[in-house]
Amino acid sequence: MTAAVEFAPWTDPTETPLIRFERVVKRFGDFTAIEPLNLSIYRKEFFALLGPSGCGKTTLMRMLAGFEAPSEGTITIGGRDMAGIPPNKREVNMMFQSYALFPHLSVWDNIAFGLKRGDMSKEEIAARVDDMLRLTRLDRFAKRKPHQISGGQKQRVALARALAKAPKLLLLDEPLGALDKKLRQDTQFELMDIQEKTETTFVIVTHDQEEAMTVASRVAVMDNGKIVQVDTPPKIYETPNSTYVADFIGDVNLLHGRAEIRADGLASLAWAEGATPIKGTAGEGLQGGEASFVIRPEKVTITASKPKDRTNVVKGKILDIAYLGNLSTYHVELPGGQVLKAQTANNRRLSRRDFTWEDEVYLSWTDTAGLVLAR
């Protein structure tokens, strides 16, 4: 049995990107929506543009689609400069959040609509639509109108229509935003499966961190028109390059202070008067001075007695408890007023809690569990 080959074309210098943004800037009057940026996206990638509202991610997507032109710089797709090429002349399709289905047409005709405007024969169109119905598991709903199917099924119709013309690149603008949480989670895996089967390059715009981390091969985190970090979901989560990325992705504890670099690749942070400095992995670009210690709640251990085998130990009082079914999160107030969170897995039925409100507890973590990042 052969081992699966890891998909990581961005690590291969001989790979040519499908998409290149080179020194791209976008201005709307006096407002700069996109600061100068470079970005490469590779064939067969499921790439996510992630950030809060107004960060510039949709503007980047609209420039790829051809609905906006860069104020400066070059965008190439498949080695071809996109300057002056209208949306309908690009091998790109776009799926909108609203789905934009034709209410008077059946599911079959909605999928066939774009194909009928080309030069395919009736037989070729029928075969292609049937392929798309099977791919998206909509065979049984081919004759129904959009109002006769569910939200998740409408989403799949829009996806099938967007993929029917076999674009090199499919752009998805908040495609799951209209679905409820459970259906959204199920549909994320369907999207991944369809993307792998078609080998189409997907670029998704989302403000949902969980969605981006679930579906994407790589994530670009954006803030105020800039790309702050581009990396795989595990690296974005485990080794963020800034407190902004650490705080935006998932849940995190933050303590501020002054850092000193150690010879062993670690850094220590003086964070409170009279408190023992905290040790953590030295983050990217850390030179010492003003810094922040970041650690995920699941990497923090909560105990009733002081652990003897760890140097990173703080004492506090339980302020609040959040029971999330599979997890419990303890909010612990430290003597200086800072609040740290510790998370424990509920891997057995709770007859009673080990800790409750107002309990004095110890929080601890290993020397490499957290990061010390420049501020």
Side-chain angles (χ1 to χ4, degrees):
M1 185 175 176
T2 56
V5 178
E6 184 187 8
F7 176 74
W10 50 89
T11 64
D12 184 351
T14 65
E15 281 278 353
T16 302
L18 174 66
I19 301 162
R20 285 188 198 269
F21 286 82
E22 297 179 282
R23 302 179 302 282
V24 170
V25 178
K26 180 61 181 177
R27 300 187 191 90
F28 295 99
D30 295 334
F31 174 67
T32 302
I34 299 293
E35 302 281 353
L37 63 78
N38 297 306
L39 177 64
S40 294
I41 300 171
Y42 292 81
R43 285 173 178 80
K44 303 181 188 178
E45 266 209 89
F46 201 138
F47 193 90
L49 295 168
L50 173 66
S53 298
C55 72
K57 57 188 187 295
T58 298
T59 301
L60 271 189
M61 176 172 279
R62 288 179 61 82
M63 287 193 287
L64 262 182
F67 300 133
E68 301 285 354
S71 304
E72 295 176 23
T74 306
I75 298 173
T76 58
I77 299 177
R80 185 184 179 197
D81 189 342
M82 290 291 107
I85 298 175
N88 62 322
K89 300 295 184 185
R90 302 183 180 203
E91 291 184 271
V92 176
N93 220 332
M94 190 161 183
M95 182 178 155
F96 298 94
Q97 183 177 355
S98 64
Y99 309 147
L101 301 180
F102 298 106
H104 61 290
L105 296 181
S106 68
V107 166
W108 198 100
D109 286 318
N110 262 284
I111 297 170
F113 184 82
L115 299 175
K116 290 178 179 178
R117 299 169 70 88
D119 54 6
M120 291 176 74
S121 68
K122 286 186 177 180
E123 292 76 16
E124 288 172 322
I125 290 172
R128 184 64 179 165
V129 173
D130 288 345
D131 284 346
M132 291 298 100
L133 287 168
R134 281 193 295 274
L135 179 70
T136 52
R137 295 186 291 109
L138 289 166
D139 316 55
R140 294 185 297 115
F141 307 99
K143 294 182 180 179
R144 294 193 188 181
K145 300 285 178 64
H147 72 274
Q148 296 173 316
I149 57 177
S150 69
Q153 289 159 351
K154 288 177 188 174
Q155 191 267 351
R156 298 211 300 274
V157 176
L159 181 62
R161 183 179 63 186
L163 288 170
K165 294 184 79 172
K168 281 185 181 177
L169 172 64
L170 181 63
L171 307 176
L172 303 103
D173 186 12
E174 302 277 5
L176 310 182
L179 306 181
D180 63 65
K181 183 177 174 64
K182 180 71 169 64
L183 183 55
R184 192 163 67 241
Q185 289 173 337
D186 292 343
T187 308
Q188 286 167 7
F189 290 100
E190 289 180 356
L191 271 181
M192 293 164 66
D193 187 46
I194 289 167
Q195 190 268 336
E196 284 183 17
K197 286 177 179 174
T198 61
E199 297 189 340
T200 306
T201 304
F202 279 22
V203 176
I204 185 171
V205 159
T206 181
H207 65 272
D208 185 324
Q209 302 97 316
E210 186 178 317
E211 183 170 288
M213 300 289 277
T214 300
V215 303
S217 53
R218 284 190 304 158
V219 178
V221 183
M222 296 190 67
D223 181 36
N224 290 325
K226 298 176 183 174
I227 291 178
V228 186
Q229 184 172 357
V230 181
D231 223 322
T232 61
K235 287 186 177 176
I236 290 273
Y237 187 83
E238 296 291 348
T239 54
N241 65 2
S242 65
T243 53
Y244 173 80
V245 175
D247 199 23
F248 190 74
I249 302 291
D251 204 359
V252 73
N253 291 303
L254 284 168
L255 290 173
H256 306 298
R258 292 190 65 81
E260 287 186 9
I261 307 291
R262 293 160 48 106
D264 53 5
L266 299 177
S268 60
L269 186 85
W271 61 282
E273 190 173 341
T276 303
I278 290 169
K279 296 187 186 72
T281 302
E284 183 180 312
L286 182 69
Q287 300 294 323
E290 293 294 316
S292 298
F293 175 73
V294 301
I295 189 168
R296 303 291 180 186
E298 69 271 16
K299 299 184 189 300
V300 179
T301 303
I302 182 169
T303 53
S305 56
K306 186 176 181 178
K308 296 181 173 60
D309 57 343
R310 289 184 173 179
T311 54
N312 291 317
V313 182
V314 293
K315 187 179 181 181
K317 183 173 64 175
I318 294 178
L319 195 65
D320 213 344
I321 303 170
Y323 175 69
L324 304 174
N326 60 330
L327 298 170
S328 287
T329 303
Y330 296 89
H331 297 238
V332 177
E333 186 177 21
L334 307 184
Q338 303 96 329
V339 175
L340 292 184
K341 287 173 276 190
Q343 223 163 49
T344 59
N346 297 326
N347 47 21
R348 58 187 174 82
R349 290 182 65 86
L350 289 177
S351 54
R352 66 174 188 82
R353 296 184 187 277
D354 293 330
F355 307 105
T356 190
W357 289 264
E358 302 294 319
D359 278 0
E360 288 199 341
V361 293
Y362 291 89
L363 302 181
S364 63
W365 53 90
T366 65
D367 288 356
T368 57
L371 284 170
V372 181
L373 298 170
R375 286 176 69 185

